[in-house]
Amino acid sequence: MESLVAAISPVFVIVKWLGDPIIRRISYIKNLEKNFKNLNEKASLLYSRRDDIKGEISRHGSKGTATNECENWLKKVERLQDKVNVIEKEFKVEKICLMGWCPDVSLRLKLGKRIDESTNLIIDLLEKSPSWVGGVVVDASTKIAEPIPAPTIEGNTSTDRTLQKILGCIKDIKKKKIGLWGMGGVGKTTVMKSLNNSSEITQLFEIVIWVTISKDWSMQKVQNEIAKRFSLNLGSYESNDNMARRIYQELERKKFILLLDDMWEKIELDNVGIPHINLENGSKIVLTTRRLQVCKSMDTDVEIKVDILSEEEAWKLFQNKVGDVVENPSIQSLAKDVIKECDGLPLSIIVVGGSLRKEANVHVWKNALNELRSPTTCEIEDMEEQVFKRLKFSFDRLNNENTKNCFLYGALYPEDHEIPIDKLIEYWRGEGFIRGAGAYDKGHAIVKHLIDASLFESAKTDSVKMHDVIRDLALRITSPTGEGCRFLVRAGVRISEPPREKEWENVERISLMHNELKSLPQSPYCLKLLTLLLQQNRTLTKIPASFFDHMASLRVLDLSDTGIESLPESICNLLSLRLLHVSCHELRVRISRLSLLEDLRIRVDPYDGRWDESFANYMTEEICSLRELTHLGFCYFPNVECLEQFVQGSLSWKEKHIKTFQIVVGFCDPNFWLYTKGGRALALGGKVTTHANAIVEVLSRADALYLICHGGVRDLLEMGVENLNELKKCIIKRCQEMVAVMDWNGLQEETTALPNLELLDLNSLPNLRSLWDGSMPPGTLSSLTKLELTNCNKLRNLFSWGRTNLQQLPNLQELRVWGCDELEEIIVNEEEKVDQLQHDGDDDDALPLLLPKLRQLNLFSLPQLGSICKGVSLAFPELEEIEVNWCPNIKRLPVGIKKAPNLRKIRGYREWWEALEWENDAIKQQLQTVFVAIKRWQQS
């Protein structure tokens, strides 16, 4: 009877399902294994897509976050993966049952249906996966406005009144476009910077976009500047129309304000991609220009003229610039007369004041006044000419000709360009303005002097800028009719054809950088030429054979970031050349004849087959012959043997003349040059052995180590503890074998390691299980200030309280952890210490002080992270900022306001903040004042 029931039970099950299509239900049973295999294949595609998207998000680091659409999609994938995992377990059980010939048809039918449903869900998610173009990541740290360094504007001044006028117009719904105009140097940009930084603006708009236009503007440049605010990667291959479409999609649903500084002519905003400004979207445009007509051509609704300063304001600004010396009775009257000669123009006051800063000699002040009053200075009708004469006074007061030449050199860069200080000093050194072992320090001292004199402006990322009026002054001084050496400058103006050969004659410095040159003159006659800057001309592929025939005096030649494939033999005629920077595929020229060469930078694409071992050997032999080398950059050695040839054969290396170097061995990343600037850097990749004598020798002199795509190193200590002492920076990326950064187990001696390391960056290390194993000797990592981890998916924690390693980070200031999928805790409390301090008690002195200098903590995309340090409140006396982004399991912060007295900002999603658990409401209310919600931008 039981066997009969067993035999007919499938029939009853099928009858039960007659209400549904029978064929499909039979298919669930019959094709169970086939459907399960299909499910796994589709799931594998989905998970790969998920991992790609998470990788893209993590690549942006703290600067990017998932869009709403993307984050919801990822959550659906995670939930579906849980279902698929359950199905997989049930399928294995079903297979076991089948092997025993005891199928439960009812369960088999339900399982088959769930497999079918899940497969359809996967297909749907694959079809709806976020687009790579602007659909995955938005700028999480995109502030409403990017702060710009600007002088403080005091209330009830002309500058403040101008600012208030603009704010009033912005709040007027009828005024959509506002024009700010006035002569060069009157302070238009200062007002705009203050507007950009205004708290009122951030309350009125979703995003503030700043674009400097300049004389030599281009549509692509403007579009790229706007795109940067959205982390849109606009490729140079894209048409302007396509760029405009993408910008339009970003802006059309946002309430934005666009600040266009230094316009010289009309711009068709439609062509840029700017949506039409109307009452509905509430967006605004503010522009500055020297010409009222430009405002009118842009259809501004109101034009505001920026006036000169009042006498009182001018005197206050001058006092601030010159210092207390103006209070000296014997100088004060002279100073007030000097002020009158500046005509209330802020730029003139700042520059003239800078040149007289802390000057206590009365005779110097009298001479300054006489020069400013001289007929060549004052009897000029044109106001702009008067400005130039006032500014030239400050140039004339520079202490020597070398400093003047250093200042003028800045005009070789494009208008409004950020000039890298290190690069500028390299050029100065090549020209001979600064010489000797202390040249680098001397260069920085000159930069500071020029900043103090207000002839250079400090800019971000170790660079300086020249005010456009100051640059115009420098170009006027160096023009054919000026009193300085002659410059030929066509930098950043997007020309495709070079100046005529006639223009090259009798010129001392030529800058054609940042253009679209397609050709060069055949054989220009320029025997006086000292500097030739041709970098950033990627369309330039060939140099004529006789191009360098008549440039015997050339000292500085920059051909980096061009499309040049080879150098002509005529380059060997440049016997006085001191600096050569070049990007090319073929260098089979006798550069050894350039016996005075001091600074050689060769940017190489390691994937280029033409740079093979035989060619590398040839180039190594040529470089070894250069006895004056002090700086060797991005020299690519395909293998250790080539490096050994250099180390053994180069007299400059042996005698330690080479002070800075960027040496790459067995490396496979063509973008290495982006990672390092100056210094002494060694990069290793592939299967290069780290124990070779040449590697050890270079490493022992290096202050930066890059291990990228290296296939052998399991931990840094394998390379020798004693060889790591000079390192200040260490970046390790995509190294499959790395299991620990440092493994002290089994080492005989307790030798301090990496005592000078300041930055440790670990990225995409799939097998990294711990930062360090064993007990670290005292002094190890004692200088570390910044630690970054990205996509290290086998890490479960960073630090252990029970060991001494956490005590070895007394100077850690920044900790950033991104995209580590399995990370559960930052600090593991193995010994469960100080349980009594887990509440926000009054005994602050007894709180654990583990990272005493930590200022910034960024946690991003850590799905398993449950706590900073479980069950314990910690003291962070220096902590200023916490950012928690897409870490759903962080339910409690490890600090109260008493434990982090300097805490100024907590960033995160609003819903995460509201879901946090607190010891008491008082702590939440105290910290509420420093919470800043990350805005989820609406996707187009």
Side-chain angles (χ1 to χ4, degrees):
M1 185 65 180
E2 290 178 359
S3 60
L4 178 62
V5 171
I8 63 173
S9 60
V11 177
F12 285 111
V13 173
I14 293 174
V15 171
K16 178 182 176 183
W17 289 93
L18 281 178
D20 294 320
I22 295 177
I23 295 177
R24 185 179 6 152
R25 300 302 172 186
I26 293 175
S27 175
Y28 290 156
I29 302 172
K30 181 181 177 182
N31 299 320
L32 185 67
E33 291 195 25
K34 178 182 176 182
N35 291 345
F36 179 73
K37 183 180 179 181
N38 183 47
L39 171 71
N40 273 338
E41 289 174 353
K42 292 290 190 295
S44 179
L45 287 174
L46 181 66
Y47 303 155
S48 295
R49 177 65 174 157
R50 183 264 321 272
D51 293 342
D52 285 343
I53 290 174
K54 290 178 74 173
E56 175 72 2
I57 296 167
S58 296
R59 185 180 67 79
H60 285 72
S62 64
K63 294 182 179 179
T65 186
T67 62
N68 281 342
E69 174 195 8
C70 180
E71 187 171 344
N72 290 333
W73 184 87
L74 287 169
K75 288 178 180 177
K76 289 178 181 178
V77 173
E78 298 299 331
R79 288 196 293 268
L80 184 57
Q81 186 173 16
D82 291 339
K83 292 181 180 179
V84 172
N85 290 339
V86 172
I87 288 173
E88 186 174 4
K89 292 177 183 177
E90 292 182 3
F91 180 78
K92 289 178 181 178
V93 172
E94 176 64 22
K95 287 196 71 173
I96 293 172
C97 289
L98 278 174
M99 292 174 66
W101 293 98
C102 55
D104 187 326
V105 178
S106 178
L107 291 177
R108 193 171 170 86
L109 197 58
K110 291 177 180 177
L111 180 60
K113 182 181 180 183
R114 287 167 56 211
I115 288 173
D116 184 66
E117 290 173 346
S118 296
T119 302
N120 290 332
L121 286 173
I122 289 174
I123 293 171
D124 184 61
L125 284 171
L126 281 169
E127 290 176 351
K128 293 179 179 178
S129 59
S131 163
W132 281 109
V133 181
V136 175
V137 178
V138 292
D139 195 348
S141 61
T142 295
K143 301 169 182 146
I144 294 176
E146 287 288 346
I148 299 175
T152 302
I153 294 181
E154 295 186 11
N156 198 29
T157 60
S158 59
T159 308
D160 178 61
R161 288 191 290 273
T162 302
L163 177 62
Q164 296 307 320
K165 283 182 188 177
I166 299 172
L167 287 169
C169 292
I170 288 172
K171 294 172 184 177
D172 186 340
I173 61 173
K174 295 180 181 178
K175 294 180 174 63
K176 303 181 288 293
K177 294 181 185 177
I178 300 145
L180 196 64
W181 70 282
M183 64 178 299
V186 78
K188 302 183 298 296
T189 299
T190 298
V191 174
M192 281 284 270
K193 287 178 178 178
S194 298
L195 179 65
N196 178 87
N197 299 343
S198 167
S199 59
E200 290 187 64
I201 289 295
T202 58
Q203 295 170 11
L204 292 172
F205 299 95
E206 292 181 276
I207 189 166
V208 182
I209 305 168
W210 174 287
V211 181
T212 301
I213 306 297
S214 304
K215 287 180 192 173
D216 306 317
W217 73 280
S218 69
M219 185 68 69
Q220 188 177 40
K221 176 187 172 184
V222 174
Q223 290 175 324
N224 281 327
E225 287 299 310
I226 295 172
K228 283 179 186 177
R229 290 291 281 120
F230 304 101
S231 299
L232 280 179
N233 184 20
L234 298 183
S236 57
Y237 59 87
E238 290 193 68
S239 67
N240 289 338
D241 288 345
N242 193 47
M243 291 182 182
R245 179 183 60 80
R246 293 176 61 187
I247 290 171
Y248 182 86
Q249 290 174 347
E250 289 289 339
L251 288 176
E252 66 171 332
R253 295 185 184 178
K254 292 182 176 67
K255 185 180 181 182
F256 64 88
I257 182 168
L258 178 62
L259 308 180
L260 302 173
D261 189 43
D262 195 21
M263 289 185 63
W264 287 78
E265 60 184 339
K266 181 180 180 180
I267 294 178
E268 295 293 347
L269 296 178
D270 290 346
N271 295 341
V272 175
I274 308 301
H276 180 65
I277 307 299
N278 54 46
L279 294 178
E280 183 179 345
N281 57 34
S283 296
K284 303 278 182 174
I285 293 174
V286 184
L287 62 91
T288 74
T289 178
R290 296 187 192 181
R291 303 167 181 171
L292 177 60
Q293 185 56 40
V294 173
C295 293
K296 295 178 178 178
S297 70
M298 294 295 294
D299 297 325
T300 52
D301 297 302
V302 62
E303 297 81 36
I304 300 172
K305 185 179 180 182
V306 181
D307 291 319
I308 60 174
L309 302 181
S310 67
E311 288 186 17
E312 182 182 348
E313 292 166 354
W315 173 248
K316 197 167 186 179
L317 178 60
F318 192 69
Q319 277 182 309
N320 182 59
K321 202 65 189 174
V322 177
D324 294 338
V325 69
V326 295
E327 301 299 331
N328 186 322
S330 60
I331 289 177
Q332 190 175 84
S333 60
L334 292 168
K336 290 190 175 180
D337 287 338
V338 167
I339 280 290
K340 291 177 182 177
E341 296 301 320
C342 293
D343 295 316
L345 196 70
L347 182 62
S348 294
I349 295 168
I350 289 169
V351 174
V352 171
S355 69
L356 292 168
R357 182 165 180 76
K358 297 184 178 180
E359 180 57 68
N361 190 316
V362 174
H363 298 292
V364 172
W365 279 90
K366 288 180 178 180
N367 179 67
L369 184 58
N370 289 335
E371 288 187 23
L372 289 169
R373 284 175 170 174
S374 68
T376 57
T377 303
C378 62
E379 292 180 3
I380 302 170
E381 293 183 3
D382 186 86
M383 189 64 177
E384 208 158 89
E385 286 293 327
Q386 288 191 33
V387 174
F388 283 128
K389 294 296 183 179
R390 304 286 187 264
L391 300 181
K392 189 176 180 300
F393 162 79
S394 295
F395 170 77
D396 291 336
R397 275 190 50 79
L398 292 175
N399 50 17
N400 57 55
E401 288 302 312
N402 267 354
T403 303
K404 289 180 179 179
N405 283 326
C406 289
F407 160 69
L408 295 173
Y409 214 94
L412 295 173
Y413 279 84
E415 184 177 338
D416 293 310
H417 194 84
E418 289 191 1
I419 306 171
I421 293 174
D422 285 351
K423 192 79 167 180
L424 198 57
I425 292 175
E426 289 166 8
Y427 291 154
W428 291 349
R429 193 167 51 202
E431 277 259 11
F433 301 152
I434 49 178
R435 305 294 297 167
Y440 186 75
D441 294 331
K442 176 66 174 176
H444 275 278
I446 291 175
V447 169
K448 184 179 185 303
H449 181 67
L450 293 172
I451 291 173
D452 289 345
S454 299
L455 294 173
F456 279 178
E457 300 174 3
S458 293
K460 58 185 178 182
T461 62
D462 300 320
S463 59
V464 293
K465 292 180 72 173
M466 294 182 81
H467 191 285
D468 54 350
V469 177
I470 299 289
R471 181 175 181 268
D472 288 344
L473 168 70
L475 292 177
R476 179 168 299 195
I477 292 171
T478 58
S479 70
T481 57
E483 58 191 69
C485 52
R486 187 178 174 192
F487 282 20
L488 172 59
V489 181
R490 306 278 195 281
V493 293
R494 304 183 67 82
I495 56 173
S496 58
E497 298 297 325
R500 293 174 290 108
E501 283 197 21
K502 187 71 175 174
E503 295 182 71
W504 293 59
E505 296 179 7
N506 300 315
V507 175
E508 293 187 19
R509 296 179 182 94
I510 296 177
S511 175
L512 304 175
M513 68 168 79
H514 292 264
N515 280 310
E516 298 172 355
L517 292 179
K518 294 181 172 61
S519 63
L520 291 171
Q522 289 298 312
S523 184
Y525 193 83
C526 39
L527 296 179
K528 295 182 179 180
L529 188 62
L530 299 172
T531 287
L532 177 58
L533 305 180
L534 292 169
Q535 67 265 34
Q536 294 286 340
N537 278 283
R538 292 187 174 90
T539 51
L540 183 63
T541 59
K542 187 176 181 180
I543 297 179
S546 57
F547 179 73
F548 296 111
D549 280 353
H550 306 296
M551 299 183 186
S553 300
L554 194 66
R555 294 183 176 186
V556 173
L557 175 60
D558 197 332
L559 299 169
S560 57
D561 291 309
T562 64
I564 294 170
E565 296 185 356
S566 62
L567 295 179
E569 283 293 332
S570 62
I571 197 172
C572 299
N573 297 330
L574 307 179
L575 300 180
S576 66
L577 195 66
R578 304 295 180 92
L579 179 148
L580 174 61
H581 294 181
V582 60
S583 303
C584 66
H585 308 296
E586 181 66 67
L587 280 174
R588 288 193 186 274
V589 292
R590 298 301 302 272
I591 63 170
S592 56
R593 292 180 59 185
L594 306 175
S595 59
L596 298 180
L597 203 60
E598 299 175 357
D599 189 333
L600 175 63
R601 310 291 168 97
I602 307 173
R603 190 169 298 167
V604 180
D605 183 349
Y607 291 125
D608 193 321
R610 286 168 288 190
W611 194 277
D612 57 16
E613 185 175 339
S614 63
F615 183 48
N617 288 332
Y618 169 80
M619 281 306 305
T620 301
E621 185 176 342
E622 289 291 303
I623 293 170
C624 285
S625 300
L626 299 172
R627 299 196 168 195
E628 299 298 321
L629 273 186
T630 57
H631 310 279
L632 179 63
F634 197 50
C635 192
Y636 173 53
F637 300 97
N639 51 49
V640 174
E641 289 73 22
C642 287
L643 180 65
E644 191 76 41
Q645 180 186 353
F646 167 73
V647 168
Q648 295 298 322
S650 170
L651 192 62
S652 294
W653 178 266
K654 285 182 178 179
E655 296 184 354
K656 297 188 177 180
H657 289 160
I658 296 178
K659 303 302 180 184
T660 63
F661 57 82
Q662 292 82 49
I663 289 177
V664 183
V665 187
F667 195 58
C668 61
D669 190 335
N671 293 319
F672 167 72
W673 61 273
L674 293 172
Y675 306 144
T676 180
K677 295 178 181 178
R680 308 184 306 278
L682 171 64
L684 302 175
K687 291 287 186 179
V688 171
T689 175
T690 58
H691 302 291
N693 291 335
I695 296 289
V696 170
E697 183 172 338
V698 176
L699 178 60
S700 64
R701 296 191 197 180
D703 64 8
L705 172 65
Y706 299 80
L707 288 173
I708 304 184
C709 300
H710 194 281
V713 177
R714 291 175 59 83
D715 82 289
L716 284 179
L717 301 186
E718 291 179 5
M719 306 176 76
V721 176
E722 67 281 1
N723 300 320
L724 308 174
N725 287 338
E726 295 293 314
L727 293 183
K728 294 182 179 179
K729 178 190 295 185
C730 182
I731 295 180
I732 307 174
K733 291 187 177 183
R734 301 192 296 277
C735 294
Q736 300 289 324
E737 302 299 318
M738 181 72 70
V739 294
V741 178
M742 290 183 288
D743 186 353
W744 295 95
N745 295 315
L747 291 183
Q748 299 296 322
E749 300 180 3
E750 285 200 357
T751 305
T752 297
L754 298 166
N756 296 305
L757 194 70
E758 298 171 0
L759 167 66
L760 179 59
D761 186 343
L762 309 173
N763 192 322
S764 300
L765 306 178
N767 291 304
L768 187 74
R769 297 178 184 276
S770 63
L771 297 186
W772 29 78
D773 287 336
S775 180
M776 291 194 300
T780 297
L781 295 177
S782 57
S783 300
L784 191 69
T785 59
K786 188 173 182 178
L787 175 60
E788 296 191 17
L789 298 101
T790 306
N791 293 340
C792 298
N793 289 333
K794 288 192 177 178
L795 272 178
R796 293 187 178 275
N797 59 74
L798 300 188
F799 313 118
S800 172
W801 193 335
R803 307 172 196 168
T804 60
N805 60 25
L806 192 56
Q807 310 298 328
Q808 298 293 98
L809 303 174
N811 291 302
L812 188 67
Q813 297 178 20
E814 297 180 41
L815 176 59
R816 297 177 178 174
V817 191
W818 306 325
C820 298
D821 287 351
E822 299 301 320
L823 193 70
E824 297 174 352
E825 282 187 272
I826 301 297
I827 303 170
V828 175
N829 183 15
E830 288 182 343
E831 298 180 6
E832 297 183 355
K833 296 185 177 182
V834 292
D835 289 335
Q836 72 275 16
L837 296 176
Q838 59 184 326
H839 295 291
D840 194 23
D842 295 327
D843 190 8
D844 291 342
D845 293 336
L847 291 172
L849 190 62
L850 302 181
L851 296 170
K853 297 290 182 66
L854 190 68
R855 292 189 299 105
Q856 188 168 334
L857 176 63
N858 295 85
L859 305 174
F860 177 82
S861 188
L862 305 170
Q864 301 301 320
L865 185 65
S867 67
I868 310 298
C869 187
K870 187 181 297 182
V872 179
S873 293
L874 304 176
F876 293 105
E878 301 295 327
L879 190 64
E880 297 175 1
E881 179 177 335
I882 298 175
E883 179 171 3
V884 180
N885 189 351
W886 205 12
C887 302
N889 292 319
I890 291 285
K891 304 297 185 185
R892 185 184 292 263
L893 293 179
V895 297
I897 200 70
K898 293 182 181 179
K899 302 175 181 67
N902 291 311
L903 191 61
R904 299 291 179 267
K905 184 183 295 184
I906 301 175
R907 288 173 53 82
Y909 286 134
R910 173 72 62 184
E911 52 267 40
W912 166 78
W913 173 259
E914 296 299 337
L916 283 176
E917 300 170 359
W918 303 93
E919 300 293 342
N920 55 65
D921 289 339
I923 299 176
K924 180 178 181 180
Q925 290 174 4
Q926 288 175 323
L927 294 179
Q928 181 73 51
T929 60
V930 298
F931 175 68
V932 178
I934 296 175
K935 190 158 189 174
R936 298 175 184 266
W937 296 105
Q938 178 68 39
Q939 282 303 105
S940 300

